[in-house]
Amino acid sequence: VSVLVVGSVALDTVETPFGKRKDILGGSAMYFSVAASYFSDVKLVGVVGEDFPERGVEILKRHNVDITGLQEEPGKTFRWGGKYHTDINHRDTLFTDLNVFEKFSPKIPNSYKNAEFLFLANIHPALQLEVLSQVDKPDLIVTDTMNLWIDTTLGDLKKVIQKTDILLLSDSEVRQLMDEPNLVKAGRALLKTGPKYVIIKKGEHGAMLLNADNVFFAPGFPLEDIKDPTGAGDVFAGGFVGYLHQSGAITEKTLRQAVIYGSTLASYACEDFSLDRLDKLTLDDINGRFKVFRDLTAFEV
Amino acid sequence: VSVLVVGSVALDTVETPFGKRKDILGGSAMYFSVAASYFSDVKLVGVVGEDFPERGVEILKRHNVDITGLQEEPGKTFRWGGKYHTDINHRDTLFTDLNVFEKFSPKIPNSYKNAEFLFLANIHPALQLEVLSQVDKPDLIVTDTMNLWIDTTLGDLKKVIQKTDILLLSDSEVRQLMDEPNLVKAGRALLKTGPKYVIIKKGEHGAMLLNADNVFFAPGFPLEDIKDPTGAGDVFAGGFVGYLHQSGAITEKTLRQAVIYGSTLASYACEDFSLDRLDKLTLDDINGRFKVFRDLTAFEV
């Protein structure tokens, strides 16, 4: 009856052409949870320091996110700082202070262990394996990763991928991981190593859902005002996994819809800093933009 | 009753990860003409040198392209050389020998002047203006351009754009031209300078059709085997303009279909070097892939 997410909870310092914010709420598990909460009950596992602000807990509670698994440890909360270019699709990381996240060891509360869907946000593959060893067999395991783990921890990453049902990664990551420049070939090769589906995230260029037989392509939403793209990938994952769970079935039909719901929520999230826009969505907002996505690629045969 | 194209006819030397070819048929007008010929009668204006091979004339004749306006001048044919990277979406130009193209002055034969649709391929804006001064008022003027003319001949380029109905350019070019990193904003700003529609070409990431009210997005076809992407933009234009002409109406409906037909032909063209694949297409091939494009973005609302 719920979706379990294990990932980071962070305080971000973000500068974009549209402003600068210090110590705003962020982290993959935060973004994922609030997005998924529009469709499903979410249980979060993560770690914060003693300085984590009350507003961080409040937003999770407001979205009915179960925070039994949100550990508080002595020290400071994980902090990330980044600056976006004029072309907001590019950014530089200014600092990464792991703080309490450095010694994070995910503990899955007993009340979480029967979660039906598991989202392993982008954390160290060894931690992702620790999580997998603690849960009952979930119906669906969705995993996110990044180039850092391909470079440094390929062995553990491959073990995680082998146990994953749906793998999310970027176009450059799938090319790097499979050492194959053609995206479709790289995705198809990856499918032979474990996952039933691969979702290739192309940032502003959209996302591709791939299995052995089908390709589905979701465009990036043509936003005129992007204030802050931080967390868009995690929000996408939240909308995707949350909707898929709510739909009650994992079929080509629901997977395609889930990709569009993920894209819908991600596009909204970019319209303001941190979780500010995501916090205030209505189901009408979500379903309205879902339909605009339909019109965006519709043509008569 | 026809489509007029003015552009380059070239002999290309191309190296991709899949092979190397010397002095193969190329040039914007060649690629455009063969693509458009699947839908409409095409009249070509261009220039070749004394060394232009008979096979170049044959392929145009085989596709019923009117070559009354193909001038032969003393000297050598325009030659271009390029090498593609392992990631075939990137290339380096190795040489550009303009040869007879350097003094090209387009002369529109009298039998061409009542052409209904005009495609101004990517040539010097001053030459594009010369063409416009020679034709009767066409029903539709479609123009292609490139960053070189934005850098060096902005005044003439703006005059051409002002007279253009549908402008084709790449994502980086529209950003540069309007000095606006947001693609939709840049496109919308461009629409205020003349064109009724702008088509933003994003290479492997597809194409976006934009007017003041609507956005249509066509994905790049997920090709597993790309042998040579040279000319893909001109083939896209050929399929787009050719189909639009054949459809007999310029509406949001036919424009969207035309973008997909353009994408369909462009995807086929990349499957082999030069015009080799494009030369041998059937209408069944074209309509089959057109429908695959439908499935690629289809989802249930």
Side-chain angles (χ1 to χ4, degrees), chain B residues 236 239-240 243-244 253-263:
Chain B
F236 173 89
F240 174 77
Y243 174 77
L244 206 56
K253 173 186 160 179
T254 58
L255 284 161
R256 287 179 173 223
Q257 292 173 323
V259 166
I260 299 295
Y261 275 112
S263 304

Side-chain angles (χ1 to χ4, degrees), chain A residues 217 256-257 295-296 298 300, chain B residues 217 256-257 295-296 298 300:
Chain A
F217 184 79
R256 287 180 172 222
Q257 292 174 323
D295 189 52
L296 185 58
E300 293 180 40
Chain B
F217 184 80
R256 287 179 173 223
Q257 292 173 323
D295 189 52
L296 186 57
E300 293 180 42

Side-chain angles (χ1 to χ4, degrees), chain A residues 85-293:
Chain A
H85 299 200
T86 310
D87 175 355
I88 204 158
N89 303 296
H90 300 280
R91 76 179 183 196
D92 297 316
T93 288
L94 299 182
F95 61 85
T96 305
D97 297 335
L98 290 175
N99 299 326
V100 295
F101 197 62
E102 189 165 8
K103 297 195 174 165
F104 177 47
S105 172
K107 290 173 199 67
I108 313 299
N110 282 325
S111 62
Y112 280 25
K113 294 197 176 180
N114 63 347
E116 289 156 336
F117 282 20
L118 169 63
F119 179 64
L120 296 169
N122 170 30
I123 55 175
H124 194 293
L127 298 186
Q128 292 179 325
L129 288 172
E130 274 185 39
V131 172
L132 288 170
S133 72
Q134 293 178 63
V135 291
D136 300 342
K137 205 176 153 22
D139 294 337
L140 187 77
I141 298 168
V142 182
T143 302
D144 191 18
T145 191
M146 71 185 293
N147 55 344
L148 175 63
W149 313 128
I150 301 174
D151 291 334
T152 62
T153 327
L154 190 57
D156 279 346
L157 177 59
K158 283 186 175 172
K159 284 183 204 161
V160 176
I161 291 175
Q162 201 262 317
K163 294 167 191 280
T164 291
D165 295 303
I166 304 180
L167 182 67
L168 276 75
L169 72 184
S170 77
D171 45 358
S172 63
E173 286 156 8
V174 68
R175 286 183 168 121
Q176 184 190 347
L177 183 60
M178 305 316 292
D179 192 21
E180 163 59 57
N182 182 284
L183 218 51
V184 182
K185 275 190 187 171
R188 291 261 152 85
L190 185 50
L191 286 166
K192 290 179 182 154
T193 71
K196 296 179 195 69
Y197 277 90
V198 169
I199 294 179
I200 300 172
K201 298 181 288 182
K202 298 170 71 174
E204 60 162 333
H205 302 301
M208 194 185 276
L209 170 75
L210 203 75
N211 75 353
D213 305 311
N214 291 295
V215 182
F216 174 64
F217 184 79
F221 195 78
L223 279 177
E224 292 200 44
D225 290 292
I226 304 177
K227 264 195 185 157
D228 176 12
T230 309
D234 301 305
V235 171
F236 172 89
F240 173 79
V241 175
Y243 173 78
L244 206 56
H245 185 259
Q246 187 206 58
S247 77
I250 303 168
T251 64
E252 181 75 21
K253 174 186 160 180
T254 59
L255 284 161
R256 287 180 172 222
Q257 292 174 323
V259 167
I260 300 294
Y261 275 112
S263 304
T264 296
L265 286 170
S267 72
Y268 275 123
C270 296
E271 291 181 354
D272 209 339
F273 285 89
S274 184
L275 299 148
D276 291 2
R277 183 75 185 94
L278 205 58
D279 184 26
K280 292 175 295 200
L281 289 175
T282 66
L283 286 180
D284 275 355
D285 292 333
I286 295 170
N287 289 317
R289 187 163 288 180
F290 182 86
K291 291 199 184 91
V292 176
F293 260 103

Side-chain angles (χ1 to χ4, degrees), chain B residues 17-82:
Chain B
F18 307 100
K20 190 174 172 178
R21 299 286 189 281
K22 191 173 185 309
D23 286 345
I24 52 179
L25 297 170
S28 57
M30 285 292 286
Y31 277 111
F32 177 93
S33 296
V34 175
S37 76
Y38 284 96
F39 303 103
S40 290
D41 288 331
V42 180
K43 295 176 187 302
L44 181 154
V45 170
V47 62
V48 294
E50 296 152 317
D51 60 347
F52 191 64
E54 186 56 27
R55 62 192 159 87
V57 174
E58 275 165 13
I59 192 172
L60 292 168
K61 284 187 176 164
R62 188 156 64 243
H63 291 274
N64 295 311
V65 176
D66 187 339
I67 55 170
T68 309
L70 182 63
Q71 309 158 216
E72 186 185 304
E73 300 291 343
K76 284 185 160 187
T77 301
F78 174 36
R79 276 175 172 72
W80 175 84

Side-chain angles (χ1 to χ4, degrees), chain B residues 207-266:
Chain B
M208 194 186 275
L209 171 75
L210 204 74
N211 76 352
D213 305 311
N214 291 296
V215 182
F216 173 64
F217 184 80
F221 194 79
L223 279 177
E224 291 199 45
D225 289 293
I226 304 177
K227 264 196 186 156
D228 176 12
T230 308
D234 302 303
V235 172
F236 173 89
F240 174 77
V241 175
Y243 174 77
L244 206 56
H245 184 260
Q246 186 206 57
S247 78
I250 303 169
T251 64
E252 181 75 20
K253 173 186 160 179
T254 58
L255 284 161
R256 287 179 173 223
Q257 292 173 323
V259 166
I260 299 295
Y261 275 112
S263 304
T264 296
L265 287 169

